[in-house]
Amino acid sequence: MPAVESVLVVGAGAAGCATAILLASAGVTVDLIDSRPTVGAVGSGITLQGNALRVLRTLGVWEDLQPRGYAFDGLGIRAPGPQAALLGEVTDNRTGGPDLPATFGTYRPVLARILVERAAAAGARIRYGTALTGVDQDATAVTAHFADGTSGVYDLVVGADGLHSTTRSAVGIDLPTTDVGMDIWRFVAPRPPSVTRTELIFGGPLFIAGFCPTGDDSLYGFLVERPQNRGDLPPAEALELVRSLAEPYHGPWDDIVASSPVNFTRFQVHLLPPPWNRGRVVLIGDATHVCPPTVAQGAAQSLEDAAVLAELLTTRHTVDDDLWTAFTERRYERVKTVVDVSMQMCHWLLEGVRGDVPGLHARVFQAVSHPA
Ligand SMILES: Cc1cc2nc3c(=O)[nH]c(=O)nc-3n(C[C@H](O)[C@H](O)[C@H](O)COP(=O)(O)OP(=O)(O)OC[C@H]3O[C@@H](n4cnc5c(N)ncnc54)[C@H](O)[C@@H]3O)c2cc1C
C-alpha cells in the first residue's frame, strides 16, 4: 500500500501534472488544482533535454509529444560577427539514454495540454480557477484552504506552484529570489532550413542570441540583454524590438524572421536547502529551485522531482523523516549542480569572461545522465 491515499497537488505545470499522473496511476486519490482559469502556458518554445524526455516517456506522454516537436542531437556555439563562425559543438549528450534524442524542442502550450490530458486520463480530479490560500496540518493530515472559501483534507499536499509558491509561504518558508541582472526576450518564428538544432551566440550587442527548432515549420528564438526596464512594451513594439535586437546576428539568424507572441522575463535564481517538506507538505519544481535557463534544465529538474517523489510515496508505506531524507538526498545535489552551472554561465557573461561553455554543458550532462 502506498504511503498516502489522498494527495492535493497545487499547480498544474510540468511538476504538478507529472506528480498527479504518477500518483493517480498508482491508485492514489489525487486532486490537482491550478489558480489559472484554464490549461495554459507562456506562448513560447521549450527545450527538453533527454533526461526530461525520459520522465515524459515514463508518464506515457512521449508518444503523443514526439510528432509535435523537433528532435535533434548536439548544440552549436557560434561567434558574433558577419561570418557567425562555428566555435564549438556539444555532442554525446543523450542524457535520457540512447533510444531518446539528446534534445527536443516543442511549443509550451502543446506540452501543457498533453500533460493535463494525461493527468485526467490517469484519474486525477482537476480543478482550474482554484487557488490554494493556506494550510493547517497535524501529524496525520493536512487541511488545505482555497480562495473560494472551501477546504479539503489530504494525507499530503504537494506544492508545485512555481516561482512565487503560495504553498511555500503557507508553511512559513521565506525563500528569497534574486534577480540575476539579465532579461530575456523569447519569440516564435518560421523555421528556415538552416536551423536544425539549438545554436547559441555569446556576446555581440547582447549576452546571448539563441534559437531552438520546435517543429518542421517552427522555432523559438531567445535574446538575452542587460535589464532596460522595457518588459511592458505593447506587443507590436516588442516584436519590432526583438527584430532589431536580432539584426546584428548572422549565420542562421539571417534567415530568421521573428513573429508573435513575444515574451519577456527576467533571469532569477533561488534554491531551497533541504528539507523540502514541512510535515506533510512538500515542495517541488520551481517552488524549490529556479535558475537562468542557460542549460535548459528547469523543467527537466521539475519533472525529475516529481518522478522521485512519486516513486518514494508509492514504494514506501509511511510518510516519515526517512522518506523526506531519501527525497532530498536524491534531488538536492543534482539540482544544485544545474543551478551552479547555470549561474556560472551568467557570471561569465556579466563579467565578459570567455569561459569553457562546452565544459559546463558536459558537467550537467554527466550529472543528469543516470536516472534521478
Ligand atoms: C525564460 C525561461 C526559459 C526557460 N526555458 C526552459 C527550457 O528551455 N527548458 C527547461 O527545461 N526549462 C526551462 N525553463 C524553466 C521551466 O520553465 C520551469 O522550471 C518549469 O516550467 C517549472 O515547472 P513547475 O511545474 O515547477 O512550475 P510552473 O510551470 O510555474 O507551474 C506552477 C503552476 O502553479 C500554479 N499556481 C501558482 N500559485 C498557485 C496557487 N496558489 N494555487 C493553485 N495554483 C497555483 C500556476 O498557475 C502554474 O500553473 C525556463 C524558464 C524561464 C524563466
Side-chain angles (χ1 to χ4, degrees):
M1 197 164 117
V4 285
E5 289 179 23
S6 65
V7 171
L8 172 69
V9 180
V10 186
C17 284
T19 308
I21 292 166
L22 293 167
L23 291 180
S25 301
V28 176
T29 300
V30 177
D31 281 351
L32 172 62
I33 61 160
D34 200 292
S35 50
R36 291 173 195 262
T38 180
V39 58
V42 168
S44 167
I46 185 161
T47 308
L48 296 167
Q49 310 289 4
N51 59 316
L53 303 181
R54 176 167 47 214
V55 180
L56 292 170
R57 187 174 56 187
T58 306
L59 299 179
V61 299
W62 173 232
E63 239 173 50
D64 274 357
L65 191 60
Q66 194 172 11
R68 304 173 74 183
Y70 193 100
F72 54 97
D73 290 325
L75 161 78
I77 298 169
R78 289 182 185 271
Q83 308 308 322
L86 197 59
L87 295 177
E89 290 182 298
V90 179
T91 52
D92 297 332
N93 52 345
R94 290 195 165 211
T95 53
D99 51 347
L100 286 167
T103 312
F104 182 78
T106 191
Y107 191 49
R108 279 178 185 262
V110 165
L111 175 66
R113 185 161 290 283
I114 286 177
L115 284 172
V116 166
E117 284 173 0
R118 177 78 189 96
R125 302 182 300 206
I126 305 174
R127 282 176 8 234
Y128 280 95
T130 304
L132 181 89
T133 52
V135 291
D136 297 312
Q137 59 173 315
D138 59 26
T140 58
V142 191
T143 303
H145 302 284
F146 307 115
D148 62 5
T150 60
S151 59
V153 180
Y154 301 90
D155 290 343
L156 180 78
V157 170
V158 178
D161 48 350
L163 178 69
H164 305 291
S165 170
T166 302
T167 316
R168 193 176 64 222
S169 41
V171 291
I173 297 175
D174 179 19
L175 178 64
T177 302
T178 308
D179 280 343
V180 171
M182 296 173 153
D183 287 350
I184 183 167
W185 293 96
R186 288 176 288 172
F187 59 89
V188 294
R191 183 184 72 84
S194 54
V195 170
T196 56
R197 63 180 178 182
T198 289
E199 294 200 353
L200 304 169
I201 298 181
F202 294 102
L206 302 174
F207 289 121
I208 308 172
F211 52 73
C212 170
T214 51
D216 286 342
D217 304 323
S218 64
L219 63 78
Y220 82 100
F222 39 96
L223 300 162
V224 181
E225 66 171 4
R226 209 169 281 283
Q228 307 188 35
N229 266 337
R230 47 189 184 182
D232 51 6
L233 285 181
E237 284 177 45
L239 179 58
E240 210 172 297
L241 176 69
V242 298
R243 284 182 177 169
S244 70
L245 291 174
E247 216 169 80
Y249 292 95
H250 298 287
W253 279 99
D254 289 329
D255 307 322
I256 295 175
V257 183
S259 61
S260 297
V262 170
N263 173 263
F264 173 88
T265 323
R266 282 176 292 163
F267 278 6
Q268 295 181 301
V269 62
H270 68 212
L271 174 58
L272 182 67
W276 286 357
N277 75 299
R278 296 294 183 271
R280 288 177 168 264
V281 178
V282 63
L283 303 171
I284 61 169
D286 275 12
T288 54
H289 46 80
V290 164
C291 62
T294 42
V295 292
Q297 273 286 333
Q301 292 308 305
S302 302
L303 289 165
E304 288 187 357
D305 289 348
V308 173
L309 177 65
E311 183 200 311
L312 292 170
L313 290 171
T314 54
T315 55
R316 295 185 174 223
H317 304 298
T318 43
V319 175
D320 55 17
D321 284 348
D322 277 357
L323 186 151
W324 298 126
T325 303
F327 179 47
T328 44
E329 274 180 1
R330 282 173 63 182
R331 295 308 303 145
Y332 183 72
E333 283 305 322
R334 186 159 165 136
V335 166
K336 187 171 183 308
T337 299
V338 167
V339 172
D340 288 350
V341 163
S342 306
M343 285 302 294
Q344 178 62 71
M345 209 123 31
C346 291
H347 290 315
W348 282 340
L349 288 164
L350 287 163
E351 291 156 17
V353 173
R354 191 162 164 182
D356 175 15
V357 172
L360 282 188
H361 278 278
R363 209 176 126 199
V364 172
F365 296 146
Q366 198 183 3
V368 304
S369 284
H370 56 94

